[in-house]
Amino acid sequence: MKIAISGAANTGKTTLAKGLAKQTGLPLIEEGFGEIRRGPNPDKSGDFLAGCFQKIDRAKRQLEEKYQSGFISDRCTIDLFNFWSAFPILQLRPDALEFYKNCKNHAKTYDYVVFLPWGSVAYSEIENGETSSIRPKMNPWVNLARHSSTVGLAYAWVPAEKIIMLPADILDQAERISWVVKTISSKG
């Protein structure tokens, strides 16, 4: 089973991905978006950024190929293209169309894409009681726009029956894991 966990920042994707990997015994493919996730930097050229995106894409695909029998991926090619499109310096590059097509075609290889609901987790809460892991402050409306565009890409690229939308009222981590496992099992 090839399962991608997708959606906006600060919705609990990594926590859910780790929990699902533990529950199912499937290997976890970590996000790996750190270099680009930190946001635009005026010192980063279009070539540098495009190279970062392509490197992340290659690395995630290599791991997905390694675990052909199944995996849980924290973020996926849909998220990666949505990030690409958020950088004006990348939008009109000659390789943008090729990157788009590659991401679109690869998105179809997932058995399921699971979206966590936007806005169900506070934007400045402390994770696990550790002050070293305070979630970054974000503009929730920008985050909602990015979430909406990621969901839109998923519905444009992936058959609707492969998309799973976690209900917003399920906040407990164990309940989220259980709900996703039951939902996937019922789809058979």
Side-chain angles (χ1 to χ4, degrees), residues 35-44 49 86-89 146:
E35 195 163 358
I36 55 171
R37 195 181 59 201
R38 286 186 274 283
N41 179 332
D43 297 332
K44 293 180 181 176
L49 283 171
F87 286 87
I89 197 169
R146 289 182 180 158

Side-chain angles (χ1 to χ4, degrees), residues 4 19 44 46 57 59 63 85 104 110 112 130 159 161 168 182 184:
K44 293 180 181 176
D57 187 42
L63 288 171
S85 66
K104 179 181 178 182
Y110 299 111
Y112 296 102
E130 299 175 21
E161 62 271 9
K182 285 178 188 173
I184 289 173

Side-chain angles (χ1 to χ4, degrees), residues 133-185:
S133 59
I134 297 175
R135 295 174 187 266
K137 292 183 180 178
M138 300 181 71
N139 180 327
W141 309 117
V142 170
N143 201 19
L144 174 59
R146 289 182 180 158
H147 181 73
S148 299
S149 61
T150 306
V151 170
L153 284 171
Y155 275 103
W157 293 356
V158 176
E161 62 271 9
K162 290 184 168 192
I163 298 172
I164 297 173
M165 304 295 286
L166 185 78
D169 62 342
I170 302 176
L171 300 176
D172 178 76
Q173 188 58 32
E175 289 178 30
R176 283 181 160 192
I177 293 166
S178 176
W179 186 90
V180 171
V181 168
K182 285 178 188 173
T183 301
I184 289 173
S185 295

Side-chain angles (χ1 to χ4, degrees), residues 13-185:
K13 289 178 307 301
T14 299
T15 304
L16 180 65
K18 288 177 180 178
L20 282 171
K22 184 176 180 182
Q23 175 79 20
T24 62
L26 292 171
L28 173 67
I29 298 175
E30 295 188 13
E31 178 188 81
F33 288 15
E35 195 163 358
I36 55 171
R37 195 181 59 201
R38 286 186 274 283
N41 179 332
D43 297 332
K44 293 180 181 176
S45 70
D47 289 340
F48 175 80
L49 283 171
C52 288
F53 277 91
Q54 291 160 353
K55 179 180 174 186
I56 292 164
D57 187 42
R58 278 191 308 273
K60 284 189 81 77
R61 287 182 195 223
Q62 285 173 349
L63 288 171
E64 290 175 8
E65 288 174 20
K66 177 180 177 182
Y67 304 122
Q68 287 183 19
S69 61
F71 55 80
I72 306 292
S73 181
D74 182 3
R75 291 207 184 255
C76 67
T77 190
I78 301 166
D79 300 278
L80 193 60
F81 181 77
N82 194 45
F83 278 146
W84 173 291
S85 66
F87 286 87
I89 197 169
L90 298 177
Q91 293 170 1
L92 299 176
R93 287 179 55 87
D95 54 353
L97 180 59
E98 180 183 349
F99 192 71
Y100 166 85
K101 288 178 181 178
N102 287 338
C103 289
K104 179 181 178 182
N105 290 332
H106 189 70
K108 296 172 186 169
T109 67
Y110 299 111
D111 294 314
Y112 296 102
V113 179
V114 179
F115 281 93
L116 284 83
W118 172 84
S120 62
V121 177
Y123 284 93
S124 61
E125 72 180 36
I126 297 173
E127 295 184 48
N128 303 323
E130 299 175 21
T131 56
S132 63
S133 59
I134 297 175
R135 295 174 187 266
K137 292 183 180 178
M138 300 181 71
N139 180 327
W141 309 117
V142 170
N143 201 19
L144 174 59
R146 289 182 180 158
H147 181 73
S148 299
S149 61
T150 306
V151 170
L153 284 171
Y155 275 103
W157 293 356
V158 176
E161 62 271 9
K162 290 184 168 192
I163 298 172
I164 297 173
M165 304 295 286
L166 185 78
D169 62 342
I170 302 176
L171 300 176
D172 178 76
Q173 188 58 32
E175 289 178 30
R176 283 181 160 192
I177 293 166
S178 176
W179 186 90
V180 171
V181 168
K182 285 178 188 173
T183 301
I184 289 173
S185 295

